[in-house]
PDB file of all heavy atoms in Angstrom:
ATOM      1  N   ALA A  76      10.355   9.574  12.570  1.00 97.00           N
ATOM      2  CA  ALA A  76       9.655  10.821  12.888  1.00 97.00           C
ATOM      3  C   ALA A  76       9.192  11.568  11.629  1.00 97.00           C
ATOM      4  O   ALA A  76       8.469  12.555  11.737  1.00 97.00           O
ATOM      5  CB  ALA A  76      10.559  11.718  13.734  1.00 97.00           C
ATOM      6  N   GLU A  77       9.580  11.089  10.451  1.00 95.00           N
ATOM      7  CA  GLU A  77       9.171  11.737   9.203  1.00 95.00           C
ATOM      8  C   GLU A  77       7.708  11.429   8.886  1.00 95.00           C
ATOM      9  O   GLU A  77       7.229  10.334   9.154  1.00 95.00           O
ATOM     10  CB  GLU A  77      10.026  11.238   8.031  1.00 95.00           C
ATOM     11  CG  GLU A  77      11.465  11.660   8.106  1.00 95.00           C
ATOM     12  CD  GLU A  77      12.321  11.004   7.018  1.00 95.00           C
ATOM     13  OE1 GLU A  77      11.800  10.147   6.253  1.00 95.00           O
ATOM     14  OE2 GLU A  77      13.513  11.321   6.954  1.00 95.00           O
ATOM     15  N   SER A  78       7.034  12.389   8.267  1.00 92.00           N
ATOM     16  CA  SER A  78       5.648  12.166   7.840  1.00 92.00           C
ATOM     17  C   SER A  78       5.615  11.059   6.793  1.00 92.00           C
ATOM     18  O   SER A  78       6.428  11.056   5.873  1.00 92.00           O
ATOM     19  CB  SER A  78       5.061  13.443   7.236  1.00 92.00           C
ATOM     20  OG  SER A  78       4.964  14.431   8.233  1.00 92.00           O
ATOM     21  N   PRO A  79       4.687  10.134   6.931  1.00 88.00           N
ATOM     22  CA  PRO A  79       4.623   9.014   5.984  1.00 88.00           C
ATOM     23  C   PRO A  79       3.842   9.356   4.725  1.00 88.00           C
ATOM     24  O   PRO A  79       3.041  10.287   4.707  1.00 88.00           O
ATOM     25  CB  PRO A  79       3.880   7.943   6.776  1.00 88.00           C
ATOM     26  CG  PRO A  79       2.945   8.739   7.644  1.00 88.00           C
ATOM     27  CD  PRO A  79       3.712   9.990   8.009  1.00 88.00           C
ATOM     28  N   THR A  80       4.088   8.584   3.694  1.00 83.00           N
ATOM     29  CA  THR A  80       3.234   8.570   2.519  1.00 83.00           C
ATOM     30  C   THR A  80       2.398   7.310   2.668  1.00 83.00           C
ATOM     31  O   THR A  80       2.925   6.200   2.610  1.00 83.00           O
ATOM     32  CB  THR A  80       4.068   8.507   1.219  1.00 83.00           C
ATOM     33  OG1 THR A  80       4.915   9.655   1.190  1.00 83.00           O
ATOM     34  CG2 THR A  80       3.175   8.477  -0.004  1.00 83.00           C
ATOM     35  N   LYS A  81       1.124   7.484   2.948  1.00 74.00           N
ATOM     36  CA  LYS A  81       0.265   6.342   3.260  1.00 74.00           C
ATOM     37  C   LYS A  81      -0.216   5.688   1.981  1.00 74.00           C
ATOM     38  O   LYS A  81      -1.196   6.112   1.382  1.00 74.00           O
ATOM     39  CB  LYS A  81      -0.896   6.767   4.145  1.00 74.00           C
ATOM     40  CG  LYS A  81      -0.407   7.285   5.492  1.00 74.00           C
ATOM     41  CD  LYS A  81      -1.530   7.612   6.411  1.00 74.00           C
ATOM     42  CE  LYS A  81      -0.958   8.126   7.728  1.00 74.00           C
ATOM     43  NZ  LYS A  81      -1.944   8.247   8.760  1.00 74.00           N
ATOM     44  N   VAL A  82       0.500   4.657   1.583  1.00 73.00           N
ATOM     45  CA  VAL A  82       0.188   3.918   0.372  1.00 73.00           C
ATOM     46  C   VAL A  82      -0.052   2.463   0.769  1.00 73.00           C
ATOM     47  O   VAL A  82       0.719   1.883   1.517  1.00 73.00           O
ATOM     48  CB  VAL A  82       1.350   3.998  -0.640  1.00 73.00           C
ATOM     49  CG1 VAL A  82       1.049   3.174  -1.868  1.00 73.00           C
ATOM     50  CG2 VAL A  82       1.630   5.440  -1.019  1.00 73.00           C
ATOM     51  N   PHE A  83      -1.132   1.904   0.269  1.00 72.00           N
ATOM     52  CA  PHE A  83      -1.387   0.492   0.518  1.00 72.00           C
ATOM     53  C   PHE A  83      -2.039  -0.103  -0.718  1.00 72.00           C
ATOM     54  O   PHE A  83      -2.584   0.614  -1.550  1.00 72.00           O
ATOM     55  CB  PHE A  83      -2.250   0.264   1.769  1.00 72.00           C
ATOM     56  CG  PHE A  83      -3.476   1.123   1.831  1.00 72.00           C
ATOM     57  CD1 PHE A  83      -4.676   0.683   1.309  1.00 72.00           C
ATOM     58  CD2 PHE A  83      -3.438   2.374   2.422  1.00 72.00           C
ATOM     59  CE1 PHE A  83      -5.807   1.471   1.368  1.00 72.00           C
ATOM     60  CE2 PHE A  83      -4.577   3.172   2.475  1.00 72.00           C
ATOM     61  CZ  PHE A  83      -5.760   2.720   1.953  1.00 72.00           C
ATOM     62  N   ASP A  84      -1.970  -1.423  -0.821  1.00 73.00           N
ATOM     63  CA  ASP A  84      -2.536  -2.104  -1.979  1.00 73.00           C
ATOM     64  C   ASP A  84      -4.020  -1.795  -2.116  1.00 73.00           C
ATOM     65  O   ASP A  84      -4.755  -1.768  -1.132  1.00 73.00           O
ATOM     66  CB  ASP A  84      -2.364  -3.629  -1.854  1.00 73.00           C
ATOM     67  CG  ASP A  84      -0.930  -4.064  -2.014  1.00 73.00           C
ATOM     68  OD1 ASP A  84      -0.170  -3.345  -2.687  1.00 73.00           O
ATOM     69  OD2 ASP A  84      -0.576  -5.130  -1.470  1.00 73.00           O
ATOM     70  N   GLN A  85      -4.460  -1.568  -3.332  1.00 80.00           N
ATOM     71  CA  GLN A  85      -5.865  -1.292  -3.595  1.00 80.00           C
ATOM     72  C   GLN A  85      -6.621  -2.566  -3.978  1.00 80.00           C
ATOM     73  O   GLN A  85      -7.815  -2.525  -4.226  1.00 80.00           O
ATOM     74  CB  GLN A  85      -5.997  -0.245  -4.699  1.00 80.00           C
ATOM     75  CG  GLN A  85      -5.339   1.087  -4.346  1.00 80.00           C
ATOM     76  CD  GLN A  85      -5.971   1.758  -3.140  1.00 80.00           C
ATOM     77  OE1 GLN A  85      -7.175   1.927  -3.079  1.00 80.00           O
ATOM     78  NE2 GLN A  85      -5.161   2.116  -2.167  1.00 80.00           N
ATOM     79  N   THR A  86      -5.920  -3.684  -4.023  1.00 87.00           N
ATOM     80  CA  THR A  86      -6.566  -4.952  -4.336  1.00 87.00           C
ATOM     81  C   THR A  86      -7.167  -5.550  -3.068  1.00 87.00           C
ATOM     82  O   THR A  86      -6.797  -5.178  -1.958  1.00 87.00           O
ATOM     83  CB  THR A  86      -5.549  -5.951  -4.934  1.00 87.00           C
ATOM     84  OG1 THR A  86      -4.484  -6.135  -3.994  1.00 87.00           O
ATOM     85  CG2 THR A  86      -4.981  -5.435  -6.236  1.00 87.00           C
ATOM     86  N   VAL A  87      -8.076  -6.474  -3.221  1.00 86.00           N
ATOM     87  CA  VAL A  87      -8.667  -7.144  -2.076  1.00 86.00           C
ATOM     88  C   VAL A  87      -7.576  -7.959  -1.382  1.00 86.00           C
ATOM     89  O   VAL A  87      -6.894  -8.761  -2.020  1.00 86.00           O
ATOM     90  CB  VAL A  87      -9.822  -8.074  -2.514  1.00 86.00           C
ATOM     91  CG1 VAL A  87     -10.367  -8.854  -1.331  1.00 86.00           C
ATOM     92  CG2 VAL A  87     -10.925  -7.269  -3.198  1.00 86.00           C
ATOM     93  N   PRO A  88      -7.374  -7.745  -0.076  1.00 86.00           N
ATOM     94  CA  PRO A  88      -6.327  -8.490   0.621  1.00 86.00           C
ATOM     95  C   PRO A  88      -6.648  -9.979   0.684  1.00 86.00           C
ATOM     96  O   PRO A  88      -7.816 -10.365   0.752  1.00 86.00           O
ATOM     97  CB  PRO A  88      -6.315  -7.877   2.025  1.00 86.00           C
ATOM     98  CG  PRO A  88      -7.523  -7.032   2.133  1.00 86.00           C
ATOM     99  CD  PRO A  88      -8.086  -6.820   0.776  1.00 86.00           C
TER     100      PRO A  88
END
Side-chain angles (χ1 to χ4, degrees):
E77 293 173 355
S78 294
T80 301
K81 297 184 180 190
V82 177
F83 48 91
D84 289 334
Q85 300 297 309
T86 58
V87 176

